[in-house]
Amino acid sequence: MTRHLLSRRPRDTVRAVDGIDLDLHRGETLGLVGESGCGKSTLASVLMGMEQPTSGTVEVDGQDLFALDRRQLRAMRRRAQMVLQDPYSSLDPRMTVGEIVAEPLVIHPDTAPRAQRRETVNELLRLVGLDPAHADRYPHQFSGGQRQRVGIARALALGPELLLCDEPVSALDVSVQAQVLNLLADLRERLGLACLFIAHDLAVVQYLCDRIAVMYLGRIVETGTREQVYGQPHHPYTRALLAAVPVPDPSHRGLPRPLLEGDLPSPTDPPSGCRFRTRCPQAQDRCAQEEPELTVRPGTDHPTACHFPLVVVPAPVTKAPATEPS
């Protein structure tokens, strides 16, 4: 709900997350991609129980997160932790790194006895590649990549089953990004974590994720395995996102690419029918009248929310004429 600047009167309703249905399995990394403002971070807040949805459920092993009482919700949150975008603002500058990593253990004292907390903190710092001898330092004494490692160590303190990463490398230098991504991939393998990785950098998502979900104006428009989405995108929006990724090969520069035109519609007044139709090069009358469902359509191999999905027709196989033996 949005409001006037100088008034408490509600003005417009924004459906930041609308009709989204996602499954995430143990040991799997699901990438959620889309433009800024499409609802990715709002979805993360709902999944973590920080925002209450107007309808729908968030289930962990069949338990509805929003049907739990306060005590049950506190216990459930130990199973799901979050790594935030900015590794500086997400850490309390008045606390040492050791205190930051130990804070979840203090909130949940049954996780580790008081006498063992220091050693538990040291193990967590080693796990993310930091020197336990630096536990008494403050966040400003670390680099951006090191601060993000501190945030990851804090998220792992309670032994979660789900790690929700909300653009965890977007504020880091490219060289540091690779180090943090390798760390997340290693932790997933070693700890068997399920990971929801939110990003707008498709190259990062391709490197780390097993499955991809593409989001536009609060809705999922395409989902599939990494090979399906990157190898054969069916939705025009997905194709445009992939076309916007910089190409390092100089021989491919200057070639025509299907880039998006027009501005992103207002989330308070989305277009009728397909929300992408105002920017879609192949929109037709049906797109304005009927909102497409996310489903596998004829000629496609993974779900897409498009009435006219992009389908590559395989070239006919021609056989060489038989030759008679001489």
Short mmCIF file of all heavy atoms in Angstrom, two decimals, residues 14 36 46 54-55 70 75 96-97 115 128 142 152 218 220 223 253 255 258 263 270 290 325:
data_model
loop_
_atom_site.label_atom_id
_atom_site.label_comp_id
_atom_site.label_asym_id
_atom_site.label_seq_id
_atom_site.Cartn_x
_atom_site.Cartn_y
_atom_site.Cartn_z
N VAL A 14 -0.10 -1.96 -4.32
CA VAL A 14 0.94 -2.56 -5.14
C VAL A 14 0.99 -4.05 -4.83
O VAL A 14 1.20 -4.44 -3.68
CB VAL A 14 2.32 -1.92 -4.88
CG1 VAL A 14 3.39 -2.61 -5.71
CG2 VAL A 14 2.28 -0.44 -5.20
N SER A 36 15.43 -4.53 -11.21
CA SER A 36 15.20 -3.89 -9.92
C SER A 36 13.75 -3.43 -9.83
O SER A 36 13.20 -2.87 -10.79
CB SER A 36 16.13 -2.69 -9.75
OG SER A 36 17.49 -3.10 -9.75
N VAL A 46 8.93 -12.07 2.62
CA VAL A 46 7.78 -12.94 2.90
C VAL A 46 8.26 -14.35 3.26
O VAL A 46 7.77 -14.97 4.21
CB VAL A 46 6.82 -12.98 1.69
CG1 VAL A 46 5.74 -14.04 1.87
CG2 VAL A 46 6.18 -11.62 1.47
N THR A 54 -0.91 -11.25 2.02
CA THR A 54 -2.36 -11.11 2.10
C THR A 54 -3.06 -12.44 1.84
O THR A 54 -4.19 -12.66 2.30
CB THR A 54 -2.86 -10.06 1.09
OG1 THR A 54 -2.38 -10.41 -0.22
CG2 THR A 54 -2.34 -8.68 1.45
N SER A 55 -2.41 -13.34 1.11
CA SER A 55 -2.95 -14.67 0.88
C SER A 55 -1.80 -15.60 0.53
O SER A 55 -0.71 -15.15 0.20
CB SER A 55 -4.00 -14.66 -0.24
OG SER A 55 -3.42 -14.27 -1.47
N ARG A 70 4.24 -17.68 18.17
CA ARG A 70 5.52 -16.98 18.27
C ARG A 70 6.66 -17.93 18.65
O ARG A 70 7.76 -17.84 18.12
CB ARG A 70 5.40 -15.87 19.31
CG ARG A 70 6.61 -14.96 19.37
CD ARG A 70 6.33 -13.74 20.21
NE ARG A 70 7.45 -12.82 20.21
CZ ARG A 70 7.42 -11.62 20.79
NH1 ARG A 70 6.32 -11.20 21.39
NH2 ARG A 70 8.49 -10.84 20.75
N ALA A 75 11.46 -21.09 16.66
CA ALA A 75 12.18 -22.34 16.40
C ALA A 75 12.34 -22.59 14.90
O ALA A 75 13.39 -23.07 14.45
CB ALA A 75 11.44 -23.50 17.06
N THR A 96 32.03 -6.38 17.80
CA THR A 96 33.16 -7.05 17.16
C THR A 96 32.62 -8.17 16.27
O THR A 96 31.46 -8.60 16.40
CB THR A 96 34.11 -7.64 18.19
OG1 THR A 96 33.45 -8.69 18.90
CG2 THR A 96 34.59 -6.58 19.17
N VAL A 97 33.48 -8.65 15.38
CA VAL A 97 33.08 -9.74 14.50
C VAL A 97 32.70 -10.97 15.31
O VAL A 97 31.73 -11.67 15.00
CB VAL A 97 34.23 -10.05 13.52
CG1 VAL A 97 34.04 -11.42 12.88
CG2 VAL A 97 34.30 -8.98 12.44
N ALA A 115 30.12 -21.80 27.53
CA ALA A 115 31.56 -22.09 27.57
C ALA A 115 32.11 -22.48 26.20
O ALA A 115 33.33 -22.37 25.97
CB ALA A 115 31.83 -23.20 28.58
N VAL A 128 34.33 -20.06 6.86
CA VAL A 128 34.15 -19.08 5.78
C VAL A 128 35.47 -18.46 5.35
O VAL A 128 35.48 -17.47 4.59
CB VAL A 128 33.15 -17.98 6.20
CG1 VAL A 128 31.79 -18.58 6.49
CG2 VAL A 128 33.66 -17.18 7.40
N PHE A 142 37.67 -4.66 8.18
CA PHE A 142 37.69 -5.72 7.18
C PHE A 142 37.31 -5.16 5.81
O PHE A 142 36.65 -4.11 5.70
CB PHE A 142 36.68 -6.82 7.56
CG PHE A 142 37.07 -7.60 8.78
CD1 PHE A 142 36.76 -7.13 10.06
CD2 PHE A 142 37.74 -8.81 8.67
CE1 PHE A 142 37.11 -7.85 11.19
CE2 PHE A 142 38.10 -9.54 9.80
CZ PHE A 142 37.78 -9.05 11.05
N ILE A 152 27.91 -14.35 6.27
CA ILE A 152 27.62 -15.76 5.97
C ILE A 152 27.87 -16.62 7.21
O ILE A 152 27.08 -17.52 7.52
CB ILE A 152 28.49 -16.24 4.79
CG1 ILE A 152 28.09 -15.49 3.51
CG2 ILE A 152 28.35 -17.74 4.59
CD1 ILE A 152 29.02 -15.74 2.33
N GLY A 218 6.34 -8.68 -10.31
CA GLY A 218 5.68 -9.45 -9.28
C GLY A 218 5.27 -10.86 -9.65
O GLY A 218 4.73 -11.58 -8.82
N ILE A 220 6.25 -14.69 -11.81
CA ILE A 220 7.25 -15.53 -12.45
C ILE A 220 6.82 -15.76 -13.90
O ILE A 220 5.70 -16.21 -14.16
CB ILE A 220 7.39 -16.88 -11.73
CG1 ILE A 220 7.82 -16.67 -10.27
CG2 ILE A 220 8.41 -17.77 -12.45
CD1 ILE A 220 9.16 -16.02 -10.11
N THR A 223 10.52 -20.49 -15.79
CA THR A 223 11.31 -21.26 -14.83
C THR A 223 11.77 -22.56 -15.46
O THR A 223 11.07 -23.13 -16.30
CB THR A 223 10.50 -21.54 -13.54
OG1 THR A 223 11.31 -22.24 -12.61
CG2 THR A 223 9.26 -22.36 -13.85
N ARG A 253 30.64 -8.67 -30.89
CA ARG A 253 30.20 -7.31 -30.58
C ARG A 253 29.66 -6.62 -31.83
O ARG A 253 30.17 -6.79 -32.92
CB ARG A 253 31.36 -6.51 -29.99
CG ARG A 253 31.82 -7.06 -28.64
CD ARG A 253 33.05 -6.35 -28.13
NE ARG A 253 33.58 -6.99 -26.94
CZ ARG A 253 34.74 -6.73 -26.38
NH1 ARG A 253 35.53 -5.81 -26.94
NH2 ARG A 253 35.15 -7.36 -25.30
N LEU A 255 26.76 -7.16 -33.11
CA LEU A 255 25.70 -7.95 -33.73
C LEU A 255 24.34 -7.52 -33.16
O LEU A 255 24.25 -7.08 -32.02
CB LEU A 255 25.93 -9.44 -33.47
CG LEU A 255 27.22 -10.04 -34.06
CD1 LEU A 255 27.33 -11.50 -33.66
CD2 LEU A 255 27.23 -9.90 -35.57
N PRO A 258 18.28 -8.53 -29.17
CA PRO A 258 16.90 -8.17 -28.84
C PRO A 258 16.80 -7.46 -27.50
O PRO A 258 16.49 -8.05 -26.47
CB PRO A 258 16.19 -9.53 -28.79
CG PRO A 258 17.26 -10.50 -28.40
CD PRO A 258 18.54 -9.98 -29.01
N ASP A 263 9.64 1.91 -21.01
CA ASP A 263 9.90 1.95 -19.58
C ASP A 263 9.12 0.85 -18.86
O ASP A 263 8.09 0.37 -19.35
CB ASP A 263 9.49 3.32 -19.01
CG ASP A 263 10.30 4.46 -19.60
OD1 ASP A 263 11.50 4.22 -19.88
OD2 ASP A 263 9.75 5.56 -19.79
N PRO A 270 -0.40 -1.96 -13.32
CA PRO A 270 0.20 -2.82 -14.34
C PRO A 270 -0.71 -2.98 -15.54
O PRO A 270 -1.93 -2.81 -15.43
CB PRO A 270 0.39 -4.16 -13.59
CG PRO A 270 -0.65 -4.14 -12.53
CD PRO A 270 -0.79 -2.71 -12.11
N GLU A 290 -5.94 -11.45 -21.97
CA GLU A 290 -5.84 -12.67 -21.16
C GLU A 290 -4.45 -12.77 -20.54
O GLU A 290 -3.45 -12.71 -21.26
CB GLU A 290 -6.12 -13.88 -22.04
CG GLU A 290 -6.05 -15.21 -21.31
CD GLU A 290 -6.25 -16.38 -22.26
OE1 GLU A 290 -6.72 -16.16 -23.40
OE2 GLU A 290 -5.91 -17.52 -21.87
N PRO A 325 27.00 -48.88 -55.58
CA PRO A 325 28.41 -49.28 -55.57
C PRO A 325 28.94 -49.45 -56.99
O PRO A 325 28.22 -49.93 -57.85
CB PRO A 325 28.38 -50.63 -54.83
CG PRO A 325 26.98 -51.12 -54.98
CD PRO A 325 26.11 -49.93 -55.01
#
